Amino acid sequence: MNKVKIIIAGPRGRMGSEAVKMVTNTEHFELKAVIDYKYEGHMLSDLEGFQAINNVPIFSNIETCLQNVECDVLIDLTTPEVGMHHAKTALLHNVRPVVGTTGFTKADLEELEGICKDKNLGCIIAPNFALGAVLMMKFSQMAAKYFNDVEIIELHHDKKLDAPSGTAVKTAEMISAVRESKQQGHPDEKETLSGARGAELDGMHIHSVRLPGLVAHQQVLFGSDGQTLSIRHDSYNRASFMSGVKIAVDTVMKQDLFVYGLENIIE
Ligand SMILES: NC(=O)C1=CN([C@@H]2O[C@H](COP(=O)(O)OP(=O)(O)OC[C@H]3O[C@@H](n4cnc5c(N)ncnc54)[C@H](OP(=O)(O)O)[C@@H]3O)[C@@H](O)[C@H]2O)C=CC1
Ligand SMILES: O=C(O)C1=N[C@H](C(=O)O)C[C@H](O)C1
């Protein structure tokens, strides 16, 4: 069986380091190189925590990496600006991106979809790889058919750069696709402290909590006369995301499609 040849961008990060572990421990995956802007010319084994991983060169520039290393899939776990550049460059080199990085704009997603169509290549952008989180989003979409009023509370560690989380935005988009549009709360409500009602997407409010000790959590609250329905998911560590990353890599090798959201590829 041919191994899937993979490069990872962001290997020192909280998610990237977990992805390095997952890829190197998966029989049919092969880690060919990593992209890290701080360690050009080094080997991954030179970095703390990776001493046991042999023969994996570090490139600071994805272009140079792809010119020198033969690979099938890029896993990107960096920042939105960097991730977008990496995903585009990968596609232009016929490498399939699996992107967990959040904070992409609608325009970014449309641009990537366009390149995928032109190149007839697969690309998976997944705001959340945890299978439980994907179910939480799907269940929320189901519930939204019966409950018109919903507020999303996402809770994350205090090192997170983007707010609201990619998962919260995706959840709101999935709900928006099935519910009748509604501006929630009192029509005359006024914030006496700016931001009190959180962010807003299609009339839904999203509240972002940032605290040390948290990893990644989300509660979707539905309300109607005399009842609330609460759907919650908690990730307690980054290993929780890795089975989803694995599924995404295997799927992107088989499908020549642009996919936004893991819910589109799991049954
Ligand atoms: N889809 C999902 O399931 C999940 C997605 N995420 C998302 O993944 C992304 C990363 O999260 P997390 O691991 O917590 O963040 P970290 O900050 O821990 O990791 C990001 C890594 O990217 C590195 N980096 C920055 N610029 C570059 C570059 N030009 N080339 C290569 N590496 C670069 C950073 O290096 P340095 O720190 O030295 O600048 C850092 O090591 C975020 O967007 C987050 O929202 C997170 C969890 C789950
Ligand atoms: O930064 C994180 O940690 C996470 N980011 C993703 C998001 O923005 O939804 C996924 C998960 O919530 C963890």
Side-chain angles (χ1 to χ4, degrees):
M1 180 193 200
N2 282 344
K3 291 192 177 197
V4 183
K5 298 189 269 305
I6 297 173
I7 60 172
I8 296 177
R12 280 177 298 108
R14 287 175 288 270
M15 278 293 282
S17 54
E18 202 62 50
V20 167
K21 230 189 281 172
M22 181 278 286
V23 167
T24 52
N25 287 328
T26 302
E27 186 114 6
H28 67 290
F29 290 173
E30 184 179 1
L31 185 61
K32 297 293 288 183
V34 294
I35 317 278
D36 188 323
Y37 69 121
K38 286 187 179 160
Y39 291 95
E40 172 69 35
H42 287 257
M43 298 298 286
L44 187 57
S45 55
D46 296 337
L47 305 192
E48 207 185 315
F50 299 114
Q51 286 88 347
I53 300 176
N54 294 318
N55 300 323
V56 177
I58 303 178
F59 292 85
S60 62
N61 182 296
I62 188 164
E63 200 93 49
T64 321
C65 176
L66 297 177
Q67 281 159 7
N68 287 280
V69 178
E70 196 198 323
C71 72
D72 304 305
V73 172
L74 157 78
I75 299 177
D76 188 273
L77 297 156
T78 57
T79 64
E81 301 73 29
V82 174
M84 182 62 192
H85 170 65
H86 283 170
K88 267 200 302 194
T89 313
L91 285 167
L92 297 175
H93 283 82
N94 299 315
V95 170
R96 296 158 188 262
V98 167
V99 178
T101 306
T102 52
F104 282 19
T105 63
K106 264 206 166 93
D108 289 337
L109 298 174
E110 281 167 12
E111 188 179 349
L112 290 175
E113 183 167 16
I115 306 176
C116 283
K117 277 199 184 125
D118 289 348
K119 302 280 292 180
N120 198 27
L121 270 182
C123 168
I124 296 178
I125 314 276
N128 202 314
F129 285 117
L131 299 182
V134 177
L135 290 174
M136 175 252 305
M137 289 186 260
K138 284 183 119 166
F139 295 157
S140 299
Q141 190 180 45
M142 284 167 69
K145 284 191 189 162
Y146 307 99
F147 291 84
N148 232 347
D149 289 80
V150 52
E151 304 242 346
I152 299 170
I153 306 170
E154 56 95 339
L155 310 93
H156 282 84
H157 58 94
D158 63 345
K159 302 287 182 289
K160 185 163 178 58
L161 294 176
D162 54 322
S165 69
T167 307
V169 172
K170 186 71 164 104
T171 308
E173 288 171 352
M174 286 171 68
I175 290 173
S176 183
V178 298
R179 82 164 192 164
E180 263 175 52
S181 200
K182 176 167 188 188
Q183 192 61 42
Q184 289 180 206
H186 196 286
D188 297 332
E189 79 179 5
K190 288 210 171 45
E191 290 185 335
T192 53
L193 266 183
S194 161
R197 293 285 287 124
E200 202 226 283
L201 195 153
D202 195 21
M204 274 168 272
H205 292 260
I206 304 177
H207 310 273
S208 297
V209 177
R210 297 289 176 265
L211 285 173
L214 293 174
V215 176
H217 318 260
Q218 180 167 292
Q219 186 158 12
V220 187
L221 277 170
F222 295 90
S224 79
D225 277 352
Q227 58 179 319
T228 57
L229 169 66
S230 171
I231 303 175
R232 181 172 171 120
H233 176 261
D234 297 274
S235 270
Y236 299 109
N237 60 34
R238 271 98 193 168
S240 66
F241 301 108
M242 292 304 135
S243 52
V245 178
K246 213 187 260 188
I247 290 171
V249 170
D250 285 329
T251 307
V252 85
M253 288 299 295
K254 289 186 237 149
Q255 292 187 354
D256 299 328
L257 286 174
F258 175 82
V259 172
Y260 169 47
L262 217 58
E263 71 281 0
N264 296 303
I265 60 169
I266 60 168
E267 293 299 310

